[in-house]
Amino acid sequence: MRLRLALLLGALVAVPVPAASPPAVDLLITHARVFDGRSGRLRENTEILVAAGRIVALRDTGSGSREGIDPARIIDAGNRVVIPGLIDAHVHPTIAVPIAALRDNDPNYVAARSAVEARAILMRGFTSIRDMGGPVFGLQQAIDEGLVEGPRIFPSGAIVSQTSGHGDFRSRTAQPRRWSGDTDALERLGYGLIADGPDEVLAAVREQLRAGATQVKLAAGGGISSMYDPIDSVQYVEEELRAAVRAAADWGTYVAVHAYTPAAIRRSVEAGVRSIEHAHLIDETTMKLMAERGVFLSPQAYVFSGVFAQPLPPGAPPPSAAQAAQRAKSAQVSAGLDHMMRLARKHGVKIAFGTDVFGATRVFAWESLEFGARLRWFTPLEILRQATSVNGELLALSGPRNPHAGAPLGVIEPGAWADLLVVEGNPLEDIRVLEQPEQNLRLILKGGRVVRSTL
Ligand SMILES: [Zn+2]
């Protein structure tokens, strides 16, 4: 009505209606050598125009008008390489203390630590992450409100697990949950949710979607950090997996599963799961199936490179039975790493970049070491693509649940979110420059906002 009135008045007094003008450029980055997330050829001597949090144009430095651009908002990249903000497809910022310690600490303390880790993740250049299990919704809110510094978060919520599965962290002496048992502390806190049978799985998945999950994570096979499920155990029957996929699909999104073995992976892929986390013990037939179905492989190289299986230093107390069992499981999984990566390469599966770091600041700091750890199988270009455009494609699977929809992530192109990094050194020649973020990330830009700059 108001619009019609305005049009009418406009016509009466013949006021010219201003043409829709492009948003004012609020940041200009000059002299950039741009890696766009895909191409192995850098776009030299480039200017990146940013407006309203997005990249609006790329052009040769000095080739266009700078009228209306505040000189204070011009950043000279000094002919350094500029890459899209990195994406970690598998990380757990809310497991900010060791899993066992989650029970014994005030959740507010753990939340404070999570905020510290989220900031550190961003300062390592990861401007987006997929959270693969944990009560991360509050942290996401605090970051999006600008209360604390951190990456864009794609939350999964609690890991949905069968009784005895990888998300069942109850003590050995816990009472059977269907009869006399109580809800476990880690379930109450939102780290895991135990659900058996299609009905409970539907409800458990819907609880996560209701809370704001952008995708849902199920445990489909044995795990290391869970104490009582052998690695070779297959978790969830077909009907349960299908129920989860259906509930997620009804919300326009997808299911990711934790799985190492061919049996667990195959069953999940057949049920419609879109992302396999870990997969270290996969065989060739199953890898081919993943390639055929376009299912993402989300492996980790560094944390499975044997860092958890190193011999204890002399004089260290002997490991507890539980620690010894976990070390054995870790060694079992790590043994599959090389074979899995070779198969993934051979069959051209979409390989995400994820680190699975959690539990302690020392471990979170390993996040950057994933870059070098992948050099055994991939070129720097391939690794950079995994951490940018391939992961961007994975995040986009959240469809209408994507909290940052409307602009792509992981690429530098007109229309994309202005998440980018100015790097000292050329990561296409030496990917390990990203392992020293403090020194080599000279500028971190998230949504067009300067988060850190030493330029
Ligand atoms: Zn994980």
Side-chain angles (χ1 to χ4, degrees), residues 90 92 132 217 278 356 358:
H90 190 131
H92 302 273
M132 283 286 98
K217 162 106 174 271
H278 317 309
D356 204 6
F358 64 85

Side-chain angles (χ1 to χ4, degrees), residues 24-275:
V25 169
D26 44 40
L27 190 69
L28 178 68
I29 296 170
T30 65
H31 302 102
R33 309 180 69 204
V34 174
F35 167 67
D36 66 6
R38 298 189 183 98
S39 169
R41 270 198 39 213
L42 297 175
R43 190 190 194 286
E44 302 287 345
N45 194 32
T46 301
E47 269 184 11
I48 306 168
L49 289 81
V50 174
R54 293 167 202 223
I55 296 165
V56 288
L58 302 177
R59 65 188 187 195
D60 294 345
T61 294
S63 68
S65 162
R66 293 189 184 177
E67 215 186 294
I69 302 175
D70 177 356
R73 304 291 295 161
I74 299 177
I75 296 174
D76 188 340
N79 285 311
R80 291 183 182 83
V81 174
V82 178
I83 66 173
L86 302 166
I87 301 169
D88 188 337
H90 190 131
V91 63
H92 302 273
T94 63
I95 312 181
V97 296
I99 290 178
L102 290 170
R103 298 169 191 285
D104 303 324
N105 278 288
D106 180 340
N108 293 310
Y109 170 76
V110 180
R113 287 204 76 106
S114 302
V116 170
E117 297 303 349
R119 184 178 186 280
I121 287 169
L122 179 61
M123 294 305 163
R124 286 189 282 268
F126 294 94
T127 49
S128 297
I129 61 170
R130 205 173 50 143
D131 182 280
M132 283 286 98
V136 78
F137 303 108
L139 178 63
Q140 178 194 24
Q141 183 183 349
I143 290 169
D144 291 349
E145 287 177 359
L147 286 178
V148 297
E149 202 65 273
R152 301 174 193 270
I153 296 180
F154 285 67
S156 303
I159 300 171
V160 177
S161 167
Q162 67 175 39
T163 294
S164 78
H166 175 56
D168 178 350
F169 294 104
R170 293 174 302 158
S171 70
R172 185 179 281 287
T173 53
Q175 294 298 303
R177 72 174 195 99
R178 279 280 179 99
W179 291 274
S180 45
D182 198 3
T183 306
D184 182 57
L186 293 194
E187 288 190 88
R188 282 197 301 272
L189 291 168
Y191 288 93
L193 186 55
I194 303 174
D196 295 295
D199 286 357
E200 279 192 2
V201 170
L202 282 173
V205 166
R206 289 169 181 160
E207 291 284 357
Q208 308 319 311
L209 294 167
R210 175 179 183 271
T214 54
Q215 66 288 320
V216 178
K217 162 106 174 271
L218 265 69
I224 296 167
S225 52
S226 41
M227 296 307 302
Y228 308 112
D229 55 333
I231 291 291
D232 58 281
S233 61
V234 182
Q235 301 175 7
Y236 279 135
V237 298
E238 289 83 347
E239 292 76 9
E240 292 168 312
L241 290 168
R242 285 211 187 89
V245 166
R246 203 164 160 199
D250 282 348
W251 277 56
T253 186
Y254 69 99
V255 171
V257 298
H258 161 105
Y260 293 114
T261 63
I265 297 167
R266 177 163 287 272
R267 190 182 284 179
S268 300
V269 170
E270 298 286 5
V273 166
R274 304 301 301 154
S275 174

